[in-house]
Amino acid sequence: MRLPFSTEKILAVTAVSIAFVTCVIGGISVSITNHDRVILGIQSEGKTLTGMSETEIRQFFLEKARAKMKKPALVVTSGSQRWDIQATDIELTPNVEQAVQDAYGTGRGGSLLTNALTQMRIALVGKDVRLTATYNDDKLQAKLVAIATSLSRTPKNASLTLSPRGNVERHAALTGRQADATTLHDTVTPKLSALALTVRAEMPVEEMAPAVTDAALASIDGVLASYQTKYSPGNRGHNIALAAGKLNGSLVKPNGIFSFNDTVGLRTAAAGYKVAGVILDGQLADGIGGGVCQVSSTLYNAVLLAGLTPTARTSHALPSAYCPPGLDATVADGQIDLQFRNQLAHSVYLLTNADGRTLTVYILGTRADLGGKTIRLVSNGSRLHPSVYRLYLAGGQVIEREFLHTDSYAS
């Protein structure tokens, strides 16, 4: 009785048969051993490698590498500007031996059956062997960051100054630029790895608008008000100049609220402030940031004279030596703030000057917003209990009298 073949026997016979069979496909014979030559179907970028020896394959890829390496590895552009990055700059190295093994080693090195099946498959569908490369990514990133840094710039706000004669001088805004080295890096690295030289890429650059544009200052034509106070050099003078510098260039739009604390920031040693005299709990003492209240008080007087609207103001516990009673404005980090609202039709702009002896705060704006009126401040009552009024004058005559507040100081 004849027993049927088991599945295992069928597979074994099939494997042995395939191992010694020559496959004829389209009239081309594919040999299992290939006589130490590259098998049928292997190519590189359109160039057939079939039939080459291992030595010939190595020479082929060496010549291809030399031809590619004659070119810059990467050309970065930005508009009309150009930067060439050479292969040596980033230690770009072709993987010649890897390509040799990929081309020559395909279809050999496995079992007889595996090699046969691989050779037949490659003969049918082909295989493209590409020369790849490695490079020093740290050096590539350093090159790209250096280019991005040269292209980037911080936006510059439009600004105003006063000429010696008191005329408003305008300084144009400058649009900023931020070059994106990271995005460029992610774009070029696959091409460098594929040795697709020369890689050409445009550096991505994003424009950044300034916070204060030329248009925002276009309506400002003069000084609405200014106020001066005197001070002495030293730690206190240092603090005054530092805080005044933070105010300089502030723009307050129509209906905008200005905050002294938000603008100046915390008065700390880390922010550059020094120990000087302060009023603490109604007593004279030393503390970080002493003198800053003179800046807020000087600003407060300029705000009143410019016809702006105070929305938060607190007097000191004791009268101040640098301004009349009732016209001071104390501030404290996170506790007491000086704020005002610009109720005028156009923006106002703060200028400050601290020259070591005199602190001046200017408020620039559109003179027509005051309607030809001038403003004066007066106080009634005693030095410890003053009541302050704002007078609006036209043609030298008081046309409006506005009560502001009554303060009470300790004796």
Side-chain angles (χ1 to χ4, degrees), residues 74-136:
L74 173 61
V75 173
V76 179
T77 58
S78 180
S80 61
Q81 295 179 275
R82 167 178 169 151
W83 296 264
D84 288 5
I85 298 177
Q86 304 299 330
T88 53
D89 295 335
I90 58 174
E91 300 176 2
L92 185 72
T93 305
N95 298 322
V96 172
E97 286 305 313
Q98 179 180 309
V100 170
Q101 293 306 312
D102 194 17
Y104 182 76
T106 298
R108 51 173 52 85
S111 67
L112 195 61
L113 175 59
T114 300
N115 289 342
L117 293 175
T118 299
Q119 292 183 35
M120 287 188 288
R121 178 175 58 81
I122 297 301
L124 280 169
V125 301
K127 179 178 179 178
D128 189 34
V129 176
R130 296 297 181 104
L131 185 59
T132 62
T134 57
Y135 55 89
N136 187 320

Side-chain angles (χ1 to χ4, degrees), residues 99-182:
V100 170
Q101 293 306 312
D102 194 17
Y104 182 76
T106 298
R108 51 173 52 85
S111 67
L112 195 61
L113 175 59
T114 300
N115 289 342
L117 293 175
T118 299
Q119 292 183 35
M120 287 188 288
R121 178 175 58 81
I122 297 301
L124 280 169
V125 301
K127 179 178 179 178
D128 189 34
V129 176
R130 296 297 181 104
L131 185 59
T132 62
T134 57
Y135 55 89
N136 187 320
D137 193 56
D138 289 340
K139 290 189 175 183
L140 172 62
Q141 292 193 56
K143 287 285 184 182
L144 298 181
V145 167
I147 295 171
T149 300
S150 71
L151 290 171
S152 299
R153 70 184 181 203
T154 303
K156 182 181 179 182
N157 288 337
S159 61
L160 303 173
T161 56
L162 292 175
S163 71
R165 294 186 176 183
N167 297 320
V168 174
E169 295 181 336
R170 303 179 186 278
H171 307 278
L174 182 65
T175 299
R177 291 193 301 242
Q178 182 64 53
D180 187 356
T182 300

Side-chain angles (χ1 to χ4, degrees), residues 253-292:
K253 296 179 180 180
N255 292 316
I257 299 291
F258 176 90
S259 164
F260 184 92
N261 283 346
D262 288 349
T263 304
V264 173
L266 297 177
R267 278 75 79 181
T268 63
Y273 289 93
K274 298 181 178 181
V275 174
V278 296
I279 298 175
L280 185 63
D281 296 329
Q283 301 294 323
L284 296 177
D286 287 334
I288 292 290
V292 171

Side-chain angles (χ1 to χ4, degrees), residues 285-321:
D286 287 334
I288 292 290
V292 171
C293 289
Q294 182 166 343
V295 181
S296 57
S297 296
T298 307
L299 171 64
Y300 178 58
N301 281 267
V303 163
L304 294 179
L305 291 170
L308 303 172
T309 304
T311 56
R313 173 263 175 185
T314 303
S315 66
H316 287 86
L318 302 174
S320 300

Side-chain angles (χ1 to χ4, degrees), residues 194-257:
L195 205 62
L197 306 186
T198 297
V199 178
R200 299 179 181 272
E202 180 82 4
M203 175 69 79
V205 178
E206 180 183 359
E207 291 194 343
M208 299 181 293
V212 181
T213 64
D214 296 338
L217 305 182
S219 64
I220 296 176
D221 59 11
V223 178
L224 299 184
S226 66
Y227 196 80
Q228 287 186 342
T229 56
K230 300 294 184 180
Y231 68 96
S232 300
N235 284 3
R236 191 172 185 281
H238 167 86
N239 294 339
I240 287 172
L242 185 58
K246 300 288 187 180
L247 296 181
N248 194 55
S250 297
L251 179 71
V252 188
K253 296 179 180 180
N255 292 316
I257 299 291

